[in-house]
Amino acid sequence: MSGTSLPMVTLDEVRDAQKMLSGVARTTVLEGSRFLSGLVGAPVHLKCENLQRTGSFKVRGAYARIAGLSEQERAAGVVAASAGNHAQGVALAAALLGVRSTVFMPEGAPLPKVAATREYGAEVRLYGQIVDETMRAAQDYARATGAVFIHPFDHPDVIAGQGTVGLEILEQCPEVRTIVVGIGGGGLAAGIAVAVKALRPDVRIVGVQAAGAAAYPPSLAEGHPVSVEAPVTMADGIKVGRPGEVPFRIVQELVDEVRTVSEDELSSALLLCLERAKLVVEPAGASPVAALLSDPGSFEGPVVAVLSGGNVDPLLMQRILRHGMAAAGRYLSLRLRLTDRPGALAALLEVLSEVDANVLDVSHVRTDPRLGLTEAEVELHLETKGPEHCSEVAAALRDAGYLVMD
């Protein structure tokens, strides 16, 4: 499909979607962040789509797409493929419109997301190990049954639905100068760009991708969508190997910049949202905050960061929080040697107590060919107050005569 034949999305279509979504999608709150405002040096607001129905913005586009189907198409049902957010959005939208839905999800999809999708009324089929395999299975099902495939981002109606987020931002923060939004396939960023640039062309729109799944920078450089092989990131909501054709054209024309963030920056951003804003946000939803943390001085305020979703598996959340605390210097892991005698471990713990380090785990090794006859090695996992405190703890141990290995 050539660039000239691709349909563009208009402001009127976004406004029509907003009317259609009245009473269906919530107008999510815009929360100020004192911490981020201080960091950026200008007001920063969080657009809380993590508090949207189904826990993400996806219900907006899914509902707009399914509502636009003909009676004959609705009778055939709809099918989608997703690891979580789009699945739930399609399931709820279809249920509200009285349409039968089938959702293909990867076999390793988090159980809470699978359960939620079923509870919204969809028939869930588990297939494949990655979303690309699941997507092909859903498309095969559509061809075999006549069900309408609801793409997560590569359709004008979906983009128009997501664009309603942009209209809300302009209503809630008319003085906004910069909008920061995560990008996977590009539907949300494209929709926001259509709405905002039509009404406020001076507003800067910055897209954010996870560095391990950043298909947009090379695609923009080439002038057309290109694929990233085997994308790897904890941010499954933006883990997309290739931009959509329709959103890519819009992003190319209307989005001012696309940045990337690291896994450490994502986990630190998620931790900040939880601790400072008291908001549960998934890694993809925290990507705009990660961009603000990585280069706060480069954003003109007022800034609105779109928290696109909050559907995170509790086990993944636990791992991410540990990773985020380590990245923020809140965890310290080290090994040291001491004399293997009664009371030696108690003396070590006393030193740690004096510097206010919280011991999370202790591993004591006595039988290792590297150790002398009277030596023992201790591996410690500590909770600390930040990078400076980590240095203080290590210095206190060395001053007490311990050989700190790392």
Side-chain angles (χ1 to χ4, degrees):
M1 188 159 48
S2 69
T4 56
S5 65
L6 287 171
M8 285 293 282
V9 180
T10 67
L11 174 62
D12 285 342
E13 288 169 331
V14 178
R15 283 174 165 160
D16 288 342
Q18 188 177 45
K19 294 175 185 175
M20 184 188 305
L21 287 165
S22 177
V24 175
R26 295 174 181 147
T27 299
T28 51
V29 297
L30 202 66
E31 292 282 356
S33 171
R34 182 180 300 177
F35 178 83
L36 289 173
S37 297
L39 200 64
V40 172
V44 175
H45 307 281
L46 306 175
K47 177 61 172 168
C48 298
E49 283 295 290
N50 58 312
L51 303 180
Q52 183 58 261
R53 297 182 71 176
T54 75
S56 88
F57 71 96
K58 288 289 190 178
V59 69
R60 297 173 182 264
Y63 190 92
R65 173 76 172 102
I66 298 172
L69 299 178
S70 66
E71 288 300 322
Q72 183 177 359
E73 288 172 324
R74 291 192 192 193
V78 298
V79 61
S82 167
N85 288 347
H86 181 59
Q88 294 172 69
V90 168
L92 177 59
L96 292 172
L97 290 163
V99 177
R100 184 178 70 258
S101 64
T102 303
V103 176
F104 285 75
M105 303 182 75
E107 292 177 359
L111 293 179
K113 294 185 178 182
V114 174
T117 303
R118 286 193 174 118
E119 288 168 7
Y120 285 126
E123 177 190 346
V124 175
R125 299 191 180 192
L126 301 179
Y127 184 89
Q129 299 301 316
I130 59 175
V131 175
D132 287 345
E133 295 173 351
T134 309
M135 185 87 73
R136 287 193 291 271
Q139 292 169 328
D140 289 343
Y141 177 90
R143 285 188 287 268
T145 65
V148 179
F149 179 67
I150 307 299
H151 200 284
F153 49 81
D154 204 8
H155 193 279
D157 290 348
V158 173
I159 293 170
Q162 320 303 28
T164 59
V165 175
L167 293 180
E168 289 180 14
I169 289 173
L170 293 182
E171 292 164 1
Q172 294 169 315
C173 185
E175 68 278 14
V176 63
R177 296 293 299 168
T178 306
I179 296 174
V180 191
V181 55
I183 297 185
L188 177 61
I192 289 175
V194 167
V196 172
K197 289 293 188 177
L199 296 169
R200 286 280 309 281
D202 59 304
V203 173
R204 184 171 180 80
I205 298 177
V206 178
V208 184
Q209 291 208 288
Y216 263 91
S219 297
L220 291 169
E222 293 291 330
H224 60 84
V226 299
S227 298
V228 170
E229 297 299 325
V232 177
T233 176
M234 70 175 78
D236 58 349
I238 53 174
K239 186 180 176 182
V240 177
R242 188 177 189 275
E245 297 282 350
V246 180
F248 174 78
R249 182 181 171 193
I250 297 171
V251 169
Q252 184 182 40
E253 293 188 12
L254 299 179
V255 172
D256 297 284
E257 180 187 359
V258 176
R259 301 186 179 196
T260 61
V261 292
S262 69
E263 298 298 285
D264 281 351
E265 288 165 342
L266 285 168
S267 57
S268 295
L270 188 147
L271 181 62
L272 184 142
C273 288
L274 188 63
E275 285 192 323
R276 298 283 185 151
K278 313 307 178 192
L279 291 169
V280 175
V281 182
E282 62 190 89
S287 59
V289 175
L292 293 175
L293 291 175
S294 67
D295 190 9
S298 63
F299 295 91
E300 182 183 359
V303 178
V304 173
V306 181
L307 307 183
S308 58
N311 292 318
V312 57
D313 179 68
L315 294 177
L316 176 61
M317 171 71 88
Q318 188 178 46
R319 293 198 298 271
I320 292 172
L321 289 178
R322 285 200 301 265
H323 185 83
M325 291 184 74
R330 301 270 296 281
Y331 278 156
L332 175 63
S333 297
L334 47 81
R335 290 182 301 117
L336 50 84
R337 290 184 183 177
L338 46 74
T339 303
D340 188 13
R341 57 176 175 76
L345 183 58
L348 169 62
L349 296 179
E350 179 63 27
V351 173
L352 294 173
S353 175
E354 289 173 358
V355 291
D356 205 20
N358 186 30
V359 179
L360 300 176
D361 187 50
V362 178
S363 177
H364 209 175
V365 178
R366 290 186 175 89
T367 55
D368 190 298
R370 297 173 302 154
L371 299 174
L373 185 62
T374 61
E375 286 185 320
E377 186 173 280
V378 175
E379 183 174 349
L380 295 165
H381 298 279
L382 310 172
E383 183 181 3
T384 61
K385 300 173 184 178
E388 291 184 3
H389 191 210
C390 288
S391 299
E392 291 174 11
V393 171
L397 290 171
R398 292 188 179 97
D399 290 345
Y402 294 102
L403 177 61
V404 179
M405 310 297 293
D406 54 36

